[in-house]
């Protein structure tokens, strides 16, 4: 691990400096995480009097539970759709902003603010728009002969949460794509233009490959976002329903643990989620270390 | 680029305008809804032009709240959100500055261990260990308190990571010079390192303020006393009853008020915000 060539020789001071962060981290992160691992191997009787150690039973039960398997695949569909939709839209917008030099500040400002909107507020906004009784989009769709009701139709509920979650994430992806596009050397695209390559050819053969580090980074961040930060969106719109259709992994941890009071199962689900985040973060770190060398 | 392709330029602006419309539309609709009276929704369609009830709706939400939903006046929740966002931002920045300083500028036993204990938190979002964290906070008697609302969110290591990266780029000569001049570690930290990190701190403050403001699940669990409600979680309670009776005009007034502060921060601090965002993620 890196450090400075010259360092201060103090013996005790660094511990004092570290103390606040270590204390908070140990109490509110490490200890609860260990607790989660511990209770994922236990079963608590309904009255909380006795806990028994049951090895991997919580886990084997989970994977035998069609609801959990369903939640896994729903989460995958959700995360992949949100990632693809929000990244494609924001890449298109970023390329467009990058082309218009004079007005790009104005457009950027108009496009980045959803970053600051809380997921649960995003959920309420889109629930309002898609509300089957007063929403404007269902009204228009009725005109087209489509019956829209995300309260009963699982696929429509899924579409609703995907759109809401993507809407929020566009601003974030957009900023990173703009930053990435600005680091593409002008000389390269100019040389290609002189050689007669049109704008589309230049984009696909020069710009897009050079954007691949940004794209990969955003891919991981977006999957992470869709899996963990969308709790508020789902809670405000569908609450996991109808009939489990939008019950993502994070929402299920909350619902099983807090509403269903099934601590062991919820803990096992937490541990699985932690493993997923650790995997995603590890990939991200390796990638970042490589990128630093560029 | 000296090419002139008017069609492509036209198309570019078209794409951007459609993009802006998509991004702005939900909020426009919310604002419009917040200016109507409740009866306007009974006809089954949201109006698309502003109505006359804006002042009435906003002042009702700000100073009275909807008592049937058990929600306090919005100004209390807005004040709570502001306070919590500021505590989280400042708390995170202080503990991160200190620990990053210790990790980069000192050598001591267990340094690597401390580093990993802190950095593993990057991998544990509060959502995945929600029940045991709740148990810890409950055992410490911190439910319904500002400490309970903020401490668990202060701990994560993103800011520490950013400051560590930044400190590593500070030239060694600066510190050598300070030591030759007889400056101790705290003097160096205060007089040289802090002023150098000023823009980083400001950028991070913007990001962390928003991070604190938009928190939802944690305040939802930790607060049962309406005096501690934050605006983002309070809104959900309003919306839950809105479907029963048509009170969408009031909910949307609350939504607009809850969105306004962080969005204004992003718009006015855009330069710092972008800097902070791009740096924290590297």
């Amino acid at each position: 691990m890196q450090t400075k060539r010259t360092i201060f020789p103090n013996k005790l001071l660094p511990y004092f400096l570290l103390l606040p962060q270590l204390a908070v981290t140990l109490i509110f992160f490490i200890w609860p995480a260990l607790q989660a691992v511990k209770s994922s191997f236990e079963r608590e009787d309904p009255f909380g009097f006795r806990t028994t150690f049951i090895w991997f039973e919580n886990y084997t039960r989970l994977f035998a539970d069609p609801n959990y398997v369903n939640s896994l695949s729903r989460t995958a569909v959700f995360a992949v759709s949100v990632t693809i939709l929000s990244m494609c839209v924001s890449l298109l917008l970023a390329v467009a902003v990058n082309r218009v030099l004079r007005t790009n500040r104005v457009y950027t400002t108009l496009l980045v603010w959803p970053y600051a909107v809380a997921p649960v507020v995003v959920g309420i906004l889109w629930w309002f728009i898609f509300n089957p009784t007063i929403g404007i989009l269902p009204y228009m769709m009725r005109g087209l002969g489509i019956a829209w009701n995300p309260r009963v139709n699982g696929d429509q509920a899924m579409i609703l949460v995907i759109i809401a979650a993507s809407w929020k994430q566009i601003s974030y992806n957009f900023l990173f794509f703009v930053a990435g596009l600005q680091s593409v050397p002008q000389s390269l695209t100019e040389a290609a233009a002189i050689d007669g390559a049109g704008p589309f050819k230049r984009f696909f053969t020069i710009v897009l490959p050079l954007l691949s580090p940004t794209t990969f980074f955003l891919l991981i961040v977006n999957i992470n976002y869709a899996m963990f930060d969308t709790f508020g969106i789902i809670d405000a719109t569908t609450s996991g329903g109808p009939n489990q259709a939008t019950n993502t992994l994070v929402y299920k941890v909350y619902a099983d643990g807090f509403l269903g009071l099934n601590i062991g199962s919820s803990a096992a689900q937490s541990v699985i989620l932690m493993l997923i985040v650790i995997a995603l973060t590890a990939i991200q770190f390796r990638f970042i270390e490589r990128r630093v060398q560029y | 680029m000296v090419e002139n392709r008017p069609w492509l330029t036209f198309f570019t602006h078209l794409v951007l305008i459609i993009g802006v419309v998509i991004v702005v539309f939900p909020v426009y609709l919310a604002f419009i809804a917040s200016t109507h009276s409740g009866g306007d929704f009974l006809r089954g369609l949201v109006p698309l032009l502003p109505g006359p009830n804006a002042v009435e709706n906003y002042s009702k939400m700000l100073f009275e709240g909807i008592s049937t939903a058990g929600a306090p006046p919005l100004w209390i929740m807005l004040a709570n959100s502001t306070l919590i966002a500021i505590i989280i931002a400042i708390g995170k920045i202080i503990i991160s500055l200190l620990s990053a300083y210790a990790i980069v500028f000192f050598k001591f036993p267990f340094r690597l261990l401390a580093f990993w204990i802190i950095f593993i938190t990057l991998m544990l979002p509060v959502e995945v260990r929600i029940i045991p964290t709740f148990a810890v906070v409950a055992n410490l008697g911190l439910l319904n308190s500002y400490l309970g609302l903020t401490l668990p969110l202060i701990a994560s290591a993103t800011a520490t990571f950013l400051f560590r990266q930044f400190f590593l780029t500070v030239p060694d000569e600066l510190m050598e010079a300070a030591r030759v001049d007889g400056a101790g570690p705290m003097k160096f930290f205060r007089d040289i390192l802090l002023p150098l990190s000023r823009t980083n701190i400001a950028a991070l403050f913007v990001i962390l303020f928003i991070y604190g403001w938009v928190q939802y699940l944690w305040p939802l669990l930790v607060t049962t006393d309406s005096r501690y409600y934050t605006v983002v979680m309070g809104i959900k309670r309003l919306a839950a009853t809105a479907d029963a009776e048509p009170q969408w005009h009031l909910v949307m007034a609350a939504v607009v008020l809850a969105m306004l502060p962080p969005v204004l921060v992003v718009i006015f601090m855009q330069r710092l915000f972008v800097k902070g965002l791009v740096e924290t993620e590297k």
Side-chain angles (χ1 to χ4, degrees):
Chain A
M1 193 178 81
Q2 276 175 287
T3 177
K4 290 288 177 187
R5 195 155 26 92
T6 46
I7 44 147
F8 285 112
N10 299 48
K11 289 275 178 292
L12 270 176
L13 185 63
Y15 294 104
F16 279 113
L17 294 172
L18 277 170
L19 191 68
Q21 176 137 36
L22 277 183
V24 179
T25 306
L26 286 172
I27 296 171
F28 295 107
F29 273 74
I30 308 295
W31 175 248
L34 293 177
Q35 284 293 314
V37 175
K38 178 169 161 279
S39 50
S40 76
F41 292 111
E42 291 174 344
R43 180 191 297 138
E44 201 168 313
D45 72 49
F47 304 102
F49 291 134
R50 226 154 35 98
T51 47
T52 32
F53 191 79
I54 53 165
W55 287 105
F56 289 95
E57 207 184 304
N58 283 324
Y59 292 92
T60 49
R61 274 198 198 192
L62 266 186
F63 286 101
D65 177 6
N67 274 337
Y68 190 71
V69 179
N70 170 56
S71 174
L72 266 176
S73 64
R74 289 289 173 171
T75 310
V77 169
F78 176 68
V80 170
S81 312
V82 169
T83 303
I84 292 175
L85 185 61
S86 64
M87 280 179 71
C88 287
V89 172
S90 48
L91 179 60
L92 182 67
L93 292 171
V95 170
V97 154
N98 205 42
R99 238 191 94 81
V100 292
L101 294 173
R102 237 169 303 145
T103 37
N104 74 12
R105 288 292 303 245
V106 181
Y107 283 124
T108 305
T109 307
L110 286 170
L111 290 169
V112 297
W113 58 265
Y115 175 84
V117 181
V120 63
V121 171
V122 172
I124 295 175
L125 285 176
W126 283 94
W127 180 244
F128 184 60
I129 293 174
F130 275 119
N131 190 301
T133 40
I134 57 164
I136 180 140
L137 293 182
Y139 177 80
M140 282 160 30
M141 278 185 281
R142 270 197 296 278
L144 296 170
I146 304 168
W148 174 269
N149 193 349
R151 280 205 197 97
V152 290
N153 185 322
D155 291 337
Q156 291 181 353
M158 185 54 113
I159 292 171
L160 166 66
V161 288
I162 288 171
I163 290 177
S166 308
W167 179 84
K168 168 153 172 58
Q169 193 63 1
I170 286 174
S171 55
Y172 184 90
N173 295 344
F174 170 79
L175 274 178
F176 279 87
F177 275 132
V178 169
L181 284 170
Q182 276 165 4
S183 65
V184 172
Q186 279 275 309
S187 52
L188 275 181
T189 43
E190 272 163 20
I194 291 167
D195 287 348
F200 289 97
K201 179 145 197 207
R202 288 202 302 267
F203 177 74
F204 285 107
T205 54
I206 297 172
V207 178
L208 205 54
L210 284 173
L211 269 184
S212 62
T214 311
T215 312
F216 182 72
F217 165 76
L218 286 178
L219 203 66
I220 304 292
V221 170
N222 278 291
I223 292 173
N224 222 332
Y225 158 80
M227 292 193 64
F228 301 106
D229 293 339
T230 48
F231 176 88
I233 293 177
I234 291 180
D235 194 39
T237 51
T238 60
S239 303
N243 193 20
Q244 309 277 333
T246 54
N247 203 358
T248 58
L249 294 172
V250 165
Y251 199 81
K252 200 166 153 55
V253 169
Y254 163 78
D256 288 1
F258 266 98
L259 310 178
L261 292 176
N262 192 345
I263 306 292
S265 168
S266 174
Q269 294 178 35
S270 291
V271 172
I272 293 170
L273 279 181
M274 284 189 225
L275 293 177
I276 296 176
V277 203
I278 287 173
L280 285 173
T281 316
I283 297 171
Q284 201 176 320
F285 261 94
R286 292 211 55 161
F287 160 72
I288 289 163
E289 272 179 5
R290 260 192 295 134
R291 190 157 80 158
V292 169
Q293 292 164 5
Y294 280 172
Chain B
M1 195 85 16
V2 279
E3 283 177 303
N4 188 15
R5 291 176 193 265
W7 273 106
L8 196 61
T9 306
F10 169 78
F11 186 68
T12 307
H13 281 283
L14 189 71
V15 164
L16 286 169
I17 289 166
I18 293 174
V20 170
V21 167
I22 292 173
V23 162
V24 173
F25 180 67
V27 176
Y28 172 79
L29 221 55
F31 173 71
I32 294 300
S34 73
T35 61
H36 283 267
S37 72
D40 291 0
F41 299 93
L42 291 173
R43 260 173 287 137
L45 181 63
V46 187
L48 280 176
L49 292 171
N53 296 56
V55 178
E56 191 190 323
N57 292 343
Y58 281 93
S59 60
K60 179 170 164 54
M61 286 316 289
L62 267 176
F63 303 112
E64 290 169 43
I66 304 179
S67 50
T68 50
L74 220 62
W75 73 264
I76 294 179
M77 298 198 272
L78 285 168
N80 278 339
S81 285
T82 312
L83 184 67
I84 286 162
I86 288 175
I87 294 177
I88 289 176
I90 292 179
K92 255 190 164 179
I93 287 173
I94 289 175
I95 66 170
S96 307
L97 273 171
L98 293 177
S99 58
Y101 181 54
I103 282 172
V104 174
F105 286 91
F106 296 87
K107 253 201 190 87
F108 52 93
F110 306 117
R111 198 172 67 110
L112 204 62
L113 179 71
F115 178 83
W116 281 113
I117 289 177
I118 291 171
F119 281 84
I120 200 154
T121 62
L122 283 177
M123 307 175 189
L124 300 173
V126 80
E127 281 80 7
V128 308
R129 52 189 169 81
I130 195 82
I131 288 170
T133 314
F134 177 79
V136 168
V137 171
N139 286 336
L140 291 174
L142 292 177
L143 297 180
N144 286 319
S145 74
Y146 292 115
L147 271 184
L149 275 164
T150 52
L151 274 181
L153 298 169
I154 282 178
S156 89
T158 41
T160 319
F161 191 64
L162 169 74
F163 285 127
R164 172 181 173 260
Q165 300 298 88
F166 174 68
F167 288 167
L168 285 172
T169 66
V170 172
D172 280 331
E173 289 73 18
L174 219 51
M175 188 184 155
E176 281 161 19
R179 284 190 63 184
V180 169
D181 287 349
M186 287 326 281
K187 190 166 171 54
F188 172 75
F189 180 69
R190 199 179 55 228
D191 291 347
I192 296 176
L193 217 50
L194 274 189
L196 279 178
S197 336
R198 217 167 30 208
T199 29
N200 284 296
I201 293 174
L204 206 57
F205 184 86
V206 176
I207 302 287
L208 294 176
F209 180 85
I210 293 164
Y211 166 82
W213 187 279
V214 304
Q215 285 301 322
Y216 170 62
L217 178 55
W218 187 247
L220 185 70
L221 297 179
V222 180
T223 58
T224 47
D225 182 339
S226 64
R227 274 180 305 160
Y228 293 101
Y229 281 7
T230 65
V231 69
V232 165
M233 63 156 291
I235 271 183
K236 172 65 202 316
R237 291 189 186 229
L238 298 177
T241 54
D243 258 356
E245 334 156 28
Q247 296 202 330
W248 281 105
H249 56 304
L250 296 176
V251 174
M252 286 301 149
V255 161
V256 171
L257 286 170
M259 246 182 325
L260 217 51
V263 167
L264 288 180
V265 167
V266 164
I267 290 174
F268 286 112
M269 307 277 171
Q270 203 181 342
R271 198 178 51 85
L272 286 172
F273 159 69
V274 172
K275 186 174 154 56
L277 200 59
V278 173
E279 273 177 1
T280 40
E281 297 304 336
K282 265 189 189 162

